[in-house]
Amino acid sequence: MELKGFSTKVIHTGYARKDAHNALHLPIYSNAAFDFETAEEMADAFQGRRPDHTYSRVSNPTVENFEKRVRSITGALGVTALGSGMAAISNTFFTLTQAGDNIVTSKHLFGNSLSFLTSTLKAFGVETKLVDLTNFEEVKAAIDENTVALFFETITNPQLEIVDIAVLSKIAHEHGVAVIADSTLTPPNTFNAPAFGVDIEVISSTKIISGGATSTGGLIIDYGRFDWSRNAKLNDFARRFGPFAFNAKLRKEIQRNLGACLSPFHAYLQSLGLETLDLRFNKAANNSLLLAEYLQTESKIKQVNYPGLKNSPFYDLGRKQFGENPGAIITFDFRSRAESFRFLNNLQIINRATNIYDNRSLAIHPASTIFGDFTPETRESINVSDTLIRLSVGIEDIDDLINDIHQAIERIE
Ligand SMILES: *Cc1c(COP(=O)(O)O)cnc(C)c1O
């Protein structure tokens, strides 16, 4: 019978049980190499004539099953699981760029992504142009004949900016440019990436997919829709592999050579996480809306940002692209940095910690931590104010979260 729903697909995408004891859950194949009956079979496996595993840096049954589950919920052509979100991002750009190429993106990016593009990749001769992705004229002006990719995050952090993905994709495709989205904040149960023109999705599965920050992992989800004959590095592969060109380059060369493979144990945890993703994400997003509404009633708070609030400038776009659950991150400002610090120190249930999308709620003052090394001018230019608090909302019961925040605010003075 055809599996239709998100959770049914995840839970019932099975594995070949030929060597297991009919265990209902996928075993953790924690080994490096695989045995062969004959030299001929081994040669066939190495040369891709048989689908067998040879060495776990290249592929592994537990990791493969995790990839298969992601393929079943996204309908993608190729899914590659790696050791972290940054591994997914770096492997993607090493696959599709070469010296002389450029990438158009925004400075509203995860810090290490920005550093990877503007330092690591730059040293290989690939330029990154930082533009305002909400200004389409600026985007068009930045694209030139050497532009190979348009890159953005579906909801930026901590600005919580949402770009119009369908419009950006159209602009990119008119210029023969591939669209790459980091959709970590809007997992596949809430965002149908190809419907908005995304060619490749990258996700830090460290966050919600892992079951709530249980382990690091990353995903590259290739929808096989881009014509790679337009890309200088991949046009030879496009002739040989057609829509599989990106995936072939990634799997046959880049992923093997960079070696940032996902551990089978982490693949197991992340497969489990995927089984409850829809439940957990919807609960966290529900909590976020209730908390954001409540925070607006607190007079010591200057401004509350959550794309699910009707007064958010990103409300309509959020609904159009992500339905009723536009993420589970809220930001808000107190009147001074001292008040923000006192608020954090007063919290009793919510943890003071970095990271997002754990099962527990996490609060942080971004300006003094994640962005502490930046100059005040840079912080201002990326909208990280000195009074800002970021709250990643977990799946605790809403009354406990509201009570904790309320008592923390009451005790500020
Ligand atoms: C966390 C994060 C990353 C990096 O993922 P890691 O798993 O920590 O390497 C990339 N993009 C976004 C949006 C993230 O939140």
Side-chain angles (χ1 to χ4, degrees):
M1 200 169 128
E2 193 200 347
L3 306 178
K4 290 223 171 83
F6 180 90
S7 296
T8 319
K9 281 182 182 165
V10 170
I11 293 167
H12 291 282
T13 296
Y15 68 99
R17 288 191 190 173
K18 62 182 178 198
D19 69 342
H21 305 279
N22 258 3
L24 265 175
H25 282 229
L26 175 73
I28 301 169
Y29 290 95
S30 181
N31 56 299
F34 298 82
D35 192 19
F36 289 92
E37 293 286 324
T38 66
E40 288 77 10
E41 283 177 13
M42 190 155 136
D44 285 346
F46 270 79
Q47 282 159 47
R49 292 188 295 264
R50 298 170 64 98
D52 297 345
H53 302 282
T54 60
Y55 190 66
S56 284
R57 170 163 43 74
V58 177
S59 69
N60 169 282
T62 313
V63 176
E64 183 184 47
N65 186 257
F66 175 51
E67 293 171 338
K68 201 166 135 193
R69 287 176 156 206
V70 176
R71 231 178 25 247
S72 93
I73 52 176
T74 56
L77 189 77
V79 171
T80 302
L82 293 137
S84 68
M86 284 317 302
I89 291 165
S90 53
N91 275 260
T92 295
F93 287 110
F94 277 124
T95 300
L96 59 84
T97 61
Q98 60 185 12
D101 291 344
N102 69 62
I103 295 161
V104 173
T105 185
S106 145
K107 63 189 170 201
H108 293 171
L109 281 188
F110 180 71
N112 293 126
S113 300
L114 189 60
S115 164
F116 169 76
L117 293 173
T118 57
S119 301
T120 314
L121 203 57
K122 186 169 186 244
F124 291 89
V126 178
E127 192 199 342
T128 291
K129 302 186 186 185
L130 302 174
V131 302
D132 175 358
L133 293 176
T134 64
N135 181 337
F136 304 130
E137 292 314 311
E138 213 181 295
V139 175
K140 283 182 203 159
I143 294 176
D144 63 29
E145 70 279 9
N146 296 321
T147 305
V148 294
L150 180 75
F151 179 56
F152 56 85
E153 293 174 8
T154 52
I155 300 179
T156 73
N157 167 14
Q159 302 84 12
L160 306 184
E161 174 183 281
I162 297 179
V163 293
D164 192 325
I165 302 171
V167 172
L168 286 178
S169 298
K170 189 159 174 282
I171 294 171
H173 290 153
E174 278 168 6
H175 292 82
V177 170
V179 177
I180 320 289
D182 177 336
S183 55
T184 301
L185 271 69
T186 55
N189 63 323
T190 201
F191 175 50
N192 181 354
F196 295 92
V198 173
D199 300 301
I200 292 172
E201 238 182 318
V202 289
I203 296 181
S204 167
S205 55
T206 308
K207 310 292 162 52
I208 194 131
I209 290 178
S210 72
T214 65
S215 50
T216 63
L219 288 163
I220 302 175
I221 304 174
D222 171 18
Y223 289 96
R225 2 172 325 139
F226 190 74
D227 177 5
W228 295 106
S229 64
R230 305 170 105 173
N231 176 298
K233 189 169 186 183
L234 290 173
N235 66 24
D236 175 40
F237 268 57
R239 264 196 305 280
R240 287 163 60 198
F241 300 104
F244 289 91
F246 173 89
N247 209 55
K249 183 80 173 172
L250 172 66
R251 295 307 292 242
K252 288 173 181 294
E253 179 189 328
I254 306 298
Q255 180 252 3
R256 295 176 184 197
N257 293 354
L258 295 183
C261 54
L262 181 64
S263 125
F265 181 59
H266 290 178
Y268 172 78
L269 291 176
Q270 307 217 346
S271 275
L272 277 185
L274 213 49
E275 294 191 357
T276 57
L277 171 68
D278 196 52
L279 286 173
R280 288 180 296 109
F281 183 73
N282 294 343
K283 173 98 191 262
N286 246 328
N287 277 352
S288 303
L289 182 59
L290 295 170
L291 266 186
E293 283 169 349
Y294 152 71
L295 284 163
Q296 289 185 314
T297 67
E298 286 283 359
S299 58
K300 283 180 191 145
I301 291 177
K302 272 198 322 203
Q303 200 192 334
V304 183
N305 302 305
Y306 177 63
L309 285 174
K310 287 216 171 68
N311 61 10
S312 160
F314 300 112
Y315 176 79
D316 290 333
L317 213 43
R319 273 195 91 84
K320 183 174 136 207
Q321 297 176 162
F322 318 123
E324 283 174 11
N325 294 322
I329 297 178
I330 304 174
T331 63
F332 46 95
D333 286 272
F334 284 95
R335 292 168 301 200
S336 67
R337 175 187 174 121
E339 279 193 2
S340 298
F341 269 54
R342 260 179 268 146
F343 166 76
L344 284 178
N345 289 335
N346 290 346
L347 290 170
Q348 295 181 13
I349 296 174
I350 296 170
N351 293 91
R352 287 167 289 275
T354 188
N355 201 18
I356 55 167
Y357 286 3
D358 198 317
N359 293 335
R360 63 214 80 232
S361 298
L362 310 173
I364 193 166
H365 177 255
S368 64
T369 54
I370 306 168
F371 299 95
D373 290 342
F374 290 41
T375 63
E377 294 73 40
T378 309
R379 281 200 293 267
E380 198 185 307
S381 77
I382 52 175
N383 305 332
V384 177
S385 73
D386 214 30
T387 51
L388 187 80
I389 296 286
R390 182 186 80 187
L391 181 65
S392 172
V393 180
I395 59 171
E396 299 99 328
D397 296 289
I398 187 66
D399 289 347
D400 290 324
L401 294 177
I402 290 179
N403 289 343
D404 191 22
I405 290 179
H406 183 65
Q407 65 79 27
I409 294 173
E410 286 292 291
R411 295 196 296 120
I412 277 179
E413 273 153 2

